[in-house]
C-alpha cells in the first residue's frame, strides 16, 4: 500500500506539473527565417530554459493563426497572448504617436533609431498601449525599407502613377502621395499575389521581407532607398501578463531582453544575406541611388513631416528630431 501511495503521489505531482504549465501563443505574419521569425523562436527557447519548463511558447509564423488585420483584436480578447506587429499597426488602434516611426528619412542609421527605441521616449510610447489592454515588452529591429517595382525607380518622377502596397498608416499614405504614387493598404500575406497579378505595381520592404516572401520573383527592380524604418513592438495581453506569478514574469522579461539583443544583432546580417540572395537570383535588378538621387527623394518626401505632424503629435515628433538631428525645414 505504501508503494501504491508513493506512485499515486508521484503521478499526481506530474499531473499538477503538466497542468500548471503556461502556454503562450506567439503569432506573427512573416516567414520563420526572417529576423522576427528567428527572434521569436529564440525567445521561445529562452523562456523554456529560464522558467524551467513552466512556460511553453508556441510560435505561429507566416499568418498561420491570424492575418495583419485580425491579430490585434485576437490579442485584446485573449485568443492569442503575444504578437510582434510592425509599429505602423498602432496608429489604427488609436495610438497615433507610433506613426512617427513611419516618417520618411527620419533615421539615418540604427544608432539614431536606438536613441528612441532603447530610451525613455520609446518606453513612454509603449506605456500608451496599456489602456488598450496591451503591455509593450520590447522593440525589435527589422531594417530600413527599400522600394520595388517592375520599372526602375531612380528619381521621384519614377513613382508617379504607380500603385504601392503599404501598411495601414496615414503617414505612409502621405509618403506615397508625396511622390505622385497611389497608396494601397493590404495585408502582408496578400502582397505576393497582388504583385504577381498587377493589383499593385510595387511595394516597400526591408530586404529580408522582400526576399523571404519571394517578392523578387515578381518585381523586376529594387531600389535601395533606405527611406524608412520597419520595426516591431513585442506586445502581450496585459491581463494575461499581470496574472503571471512575479517570478515567472521576471524570467520572461530576461528571456525577452536576450531575444531583443539577438533580434537586433541579426537584423542587419539577415538583410545583407537576403540582398545577396536577390542579386544571385538574377530576377531583380538591384539599384543603389546616387547621393543626388537620394537627396531628391528626401526633398520630395519632406512635406510629409509638415502635413502629418499634427496626426502623431508635434511634441512626439520633436522628440524624434532632437534624438536624430533631422530637420525637414532644412531640406
Amino acid at each position: 500500500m505504501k508503494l501504491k501511495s508513493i506512485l499515486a503521489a508521484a503521478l499526481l505531482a506530474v499531473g499538477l506539473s503538466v497542468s500548471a504549465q503556461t502556454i503562450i501563443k506567439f503569432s506573427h505574419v512573416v516567414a520563420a527565417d526572417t529576423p522576427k521569425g528567428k527572434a521569436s523562436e529564440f525567445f521561445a527557447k529562452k523562456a523554456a530554459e529560464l522558467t524551467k519548463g513552466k512556460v511553453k511558447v508556441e510560435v505561429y509564423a507566416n499568418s498561420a493563426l491570424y492575418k495583419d488585420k485580425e491579430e490585434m483584436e485576437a490579442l485584446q480578447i485573449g485568443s492569442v497572448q503575444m504578437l510582434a506587429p510592425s509599429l505602423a499597426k498602432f496608429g489604427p488602434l488609436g495610438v497615433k504617436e507610433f506613426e512617427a516611426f513611419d516618417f520618411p528619412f527620419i533615421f539615418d542609421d540604427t544608432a539614431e533609431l536606438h536613441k528612441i527605441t532603447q530610451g525613455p521616449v520609446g518606453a513612454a510610447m509603449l506605456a500608451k498601449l496599456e489602456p488598450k489592454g496591451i503591455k509593450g515588452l520590447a522593440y525589435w529591429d527589422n531594417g530600413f525599407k527599400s522600394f520595388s517595382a517592375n520599372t526602375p525607380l531612380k528619381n521621384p518622377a519614377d513613382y508617379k502613377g504607380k500603385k504601392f502596397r503599404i501598411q495601414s498608416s496615414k503617414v505612409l499614405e502621405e509618403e506615397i502621395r508625396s511622390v505622385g504614387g497611389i497608396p494601397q493598404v493590404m495585408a502582408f500575406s496578400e502582397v505576393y499575389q497582388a504583385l504577381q497579378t498587377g493589383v499593385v505595381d510595387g511595394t516597400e520592404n526591408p530586404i529580408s521581407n522582400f526576399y523571404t516572401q519571394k517578392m523578387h520573383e515578381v518585381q523586376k527592380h529594387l531600389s535601395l532607398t533606405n527611406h524608412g524604418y520597419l520595426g516591431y513592438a513585442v506586445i502581450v495581453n496585459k491581463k494575461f501578463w499581470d496574472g503571471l506569478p512575479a517570478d515567472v514574469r521576471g524570467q520572461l522579461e530576461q528571456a525577452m531582453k536576450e531575444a531583443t539583443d539577438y533580434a537586433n544583432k541579426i537584423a542587419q546580417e539577415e538583410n545583407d544575406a537576403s540582398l545577396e540572395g536577390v542579386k544571385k537570383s538574377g530576377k531583380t535588378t538591384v539599384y543603389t541611388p546616387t547621393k543626388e538621387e537620394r537627396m531628391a527623394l528626401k526633398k520630395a518626401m519632406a512635406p510629409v513631416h509638415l502635413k502629418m505632424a499634427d496626426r502623431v503629435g508635434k511634441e512626439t515628433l520633436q522628440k524624434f528630431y532632437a534624438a536624430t538631428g533631422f530637420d525637414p525645414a532644412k531640406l
Side-chain angles (χ1 to χ4, degrees), residues 17 30 32 37 77 82 182 242 321:
S17 169
V30 299
I77 64 175
M82 188 173 284
I182 304 165
D242 291 345
Y321 293 158

Side-chain angles (χ1 to χ4, degrees), residues 22 45 75-77 118 162 177 197 268 271-272 301 316 322-323 326 330:
T22 299
K45 180 182 175 185
L75 180 85
Q76 288 176 296
I77 64 175
Q118 297 179 9
K162 290 185 175 63
R177 290 194 186 101
T197 58
Q268 190 58 53
N271 279 295
D272 290 344
M301 292 184 170
T316 298
F326 182 82
K330 291 183 178 179

Side-chain angles (χ1 to χ4, degrees), residues 291-323:
K291 185 178 179 181
E292 291 74 21
E293 287 168 342
R294 193 166 187 270
M295 180 54 72
L297 190 63
K298 203 171 187 178
K299 286 182 177 179
M301 292 184 170
V304 176
H305 290 259
L306 299 176
K307 288 183 180 178
M308 302 305 292
D310 287 337
R311 178 173 175 82
V312 302
K314 290 180 180 178
E315 184 180 347
T316 298
L317 210 50
Q318 287 302 324
K319 289 177 181 177
F320 274 57
Y321 293 158

Side-chain angles (χ1 to χ4, degrees), residues 14 36 135 153 163 168 179 200 235 278 287 290 292:
V14 171
K36 178 164 65 172
K135 173 75 175 176
L153 298 171
K163 292 175 288 185
S168 180
V179 288
V200 293
I235 58 176
V278 172
Y287 180 73
T290 65
E292 291 74 21

Side-chain angles (χ1 to χ4, degrees), residues 62-255:
N62 246 340
S63 304
L65 275 188
Y66 300 102
K67 293 183 179 180
D68 274 340
K69 296 175 182 177
E70 305 164 343
E71 61 176 13
M72 199 72 77
E73 183 182 355
L75 180 85
Q76 288 176 296
I77 64 175
S79 297
V80 63
Q81 288 73 45
M82 188 173 284
L83 305 174
S86 58
L87 300 171
K89 296 294 187 297
F90 299 114
L93 192 66
V95 190
K96 297 173 183 176
E97 292 89 342
F98 278 90
E99 289 188 359
F101 285 101
D102 293 337
F103 278 72
F105 296 103
I106 199 167
F107 304 111
D108 275 335
D109 52 41
T110 52
E112 288 186 355
L113 166 72
H114 288 166
K115 289 176 183 177
I116 299 294
T117 58
Q118 297 179 9
V121 176
M125 291 174 77
L126 289 179
K128 290 179 182 292
L129 298 172
E130 297 197 11
K132 306 290 183 182
I134 295 169
K135 173 75 175 176
L137 300 180
Y139 292 93
W140 285 358
D141 290 348
N142 188 352
F144 292 96
K145 297 181 290 186
S146 289
F147 279 110
S148 67
N150 283 324
T151 53
L153 298 171
K154 296 182 179 182
N155 302 297
D158 297 332
Y159 295 78
K160 190 173 183 180
K162 290 185 175 63
K163 292 175 288 185
F164 287 93
R165 178 270 171 177
I166 59 165
Q167 299 183 77
S168 180
S169 162
K170 296 300 182 184
V171 173
L172 293 180
E173 286 182 24
E174 194 59 42
E175 170 197 278
I176 299 301
R177 290 194 186 101
S178 71
V179 288
I182 304 165
Q184 300 282 307
V185 175
M186 184 179 295
F188 187 67
S189 59
E190 298 169 7
V191 178
Y192 178 91
Q193 186 176 4
L195 292 169
Q196 186 180 43
T197 58
V199 171
V200 293
D201 301 303
T203 187
E204 55 165 19
N205 275 291
I207 311 303
S208 61
N209 281 1
F210 183 79
Y211 182 62
T212 57
Q213 293 294 321
K214 303 185 187 301
M215 295 180 197
H216 62 290
E217 294 179 354
V218 289
Q219 293 277 265
K220 294 178 182 177
H221 295 272
L222 176 67
S223 185
L224 302 179
T225 50
N226 290 332
H227 62 280
Y229 169 71
L230 180 64
Y232 309 109
V234 187
I235 58 176
V236 67
N237 177 286
K238 187 176 185 300
K239 184 177 179 181
F240 166 81
W241 187 256
D242 291 345
L244 292 172
D247 61 327
V248 172
R249 254 199 329 269
Q251 291 157 352
L252 290 175
E253 286 169 353
Q254 179 60 31

